[in-house]
Amino acid sequence: WAPTPVPIPPPLKPQWLEQWKQHEATLAARAAEGQPPGDNYIKCLPDGMPAMMQGMFPMEIFQRPEQINVTQEAFNQTRRIYMGETLKPASELDPMFYGHSVGRWEGDTLVIETTGIKQNVQFRWTPHSEGMKITERLHLLTPDILRNDITVEDEFLERPWTYSYTYRRTPGYKLLEYVCEDNRDYVDEQGRVTLRIE
């Protein structure tokens, strides 16, 4: 067992950093009460990008020359990365949970650029504009360890926000079905939290 590390605050500009701090305080209060956070999970909405890449649940990667798909067990989320295409400006795209991703190889590093993410899809309650851009650089550290260096650029940020994840290959694992309604929290009039499982 190891304690959960305290997350580094996103480098938001002051007018949005205060809002983020208020969300963090609400989350801490709910956790102290044993209540769910009230985020998109409780509404049965998927993580979207970039949160789905944090790897809390197992992920599966399918690769072919023209397209790479990443499927996460949670919510059966799938993002599609189109290889060799040019990233369009967010203003020309319909916003989606996973945005629009294009990829290219730089040696043995897969570089993925993503934009066009819905504004209500937030990683750690971090607000962003419609023009937010995410750049990922994935490369193998060992045959079984994949590293993802992530950079988020947006007008809401004072500077690019960078962080990294590593993923361990698990041979033989098969993704489980994840249907949110089977695991959804409900709060009744007395404030009791129950699971709706029929």
Side-chain angles (χ1 to χ4, degrees), residues 3-18:
T4 302
V6 176
I8 298 171
L12 287 162
K13 291 179 179 176
Q15 61 267 43
W16 292 292
L17 183 59
E18 189 57 40

Side-chain angles (χ1 to χ4, degrees), residues 1 14 27-28 39 56 65 108 118-119:
W1 177 86
L27 174 60
D39 57 8
M56 284 177 40
D108 60 359
K118 290 175 180 261
Q119 286 187 279

